[in-house]
Amino acid sequence: MRHLALAALVALQVTACSSSPSRPPSPPPQLEAPAQGKALLYLFRPQIDQIRMSDSPEISLDGVAIAHLPHASYIVIPLASGKHRLKLSPSAGEPARWNSESSFEATADQRYFVAVWHTDQPTPSKFNLPLQVRGALLLIPMGGASGGSNSVTLEQVDEGTALFGLTDLNRVSSQSSSAA
């Protein structure tokens, strides 16, 4: 279900891009190879996430704060093999909706791609529903608003989806000298 939602977000971006003035697409970023015996995690907030774009939640790995992740950005995190816990927390003044965490197992010499996005995205179409009330015709706006789920998801995606999502994103650096 979540893959379907992310695919819908990608389709929204493609649709939005086709209706705006075109500029040459940027090449996708060059993916790094993991260091010998390590894994790499690419964690990103795609441009297609249209909710709370001014927020910059804090990322923690195994209980250590490593960076903030603004909208349309990504971070590359080296990982030791084994079990890890990734956590998002709201920065000062941001809503609790950023509280999200996930545990996963990392294998040496592998790359992992995780998209961070809100499940509560605006819909692309908006229309007015005519409703007759006591002889008057009211036009009720429908669509174009959020669905109200108010949650953030951490979704592992394949390399092809990640390359598309990483294009034109800004890379952020880790606050910690060793994220693994």
Side-chain angles (χ1 to χ4, degrees), residues 80-115:
S81 294
K83 194 159 181 84
H84 295 280
R85 189 180 55 137
L86 182 66
K87 182 177 180 180
L88 287 176
S89 303
S91 293
E94 294 177 356
R97 73 185 332 175
W98 284 110
N99 287 317
S100 184
E101 65 182 279
S102 180
S103 295
F104 62 96
E105 185 87 23
T107 304
D109 306 317
Q110 296 294 312
R111 286 188 296 233
Y112 299 93
F113 306 94
V114 176

Side-chain angles (χ1 to χ4, degrees), residues 43-54:
L43 184 68
F44 64 101
R45 279 185 67 193
Q47 292 179 347
I48 56 177
D49 187 359
Q50 298 296 305
I51 304 293
R52 303 293 306 188
M53 294 188 315
S54 63

Side-chain angles (χ1 to χ4, degrees), residues 106-142:
T107 304
D109 306 317
Q110 296 294 312
R111 286 188 296 233
Y112 299 93
F113 306 94
V114 176
V116 176
W117 56 280
H118 288 83
T119 56
D120 187 28
Q121 294 297 314
T123 58
S125 62
K126 188 172 184 176
F127 64 95
N128 292 319
L129 177 67
L131 183 64
Q132 187 170 6
V133 177
R134 295 185 184 174
L137 184 62
L138 298 176
L139 297 176
I140 309 297
M142 302 296 288

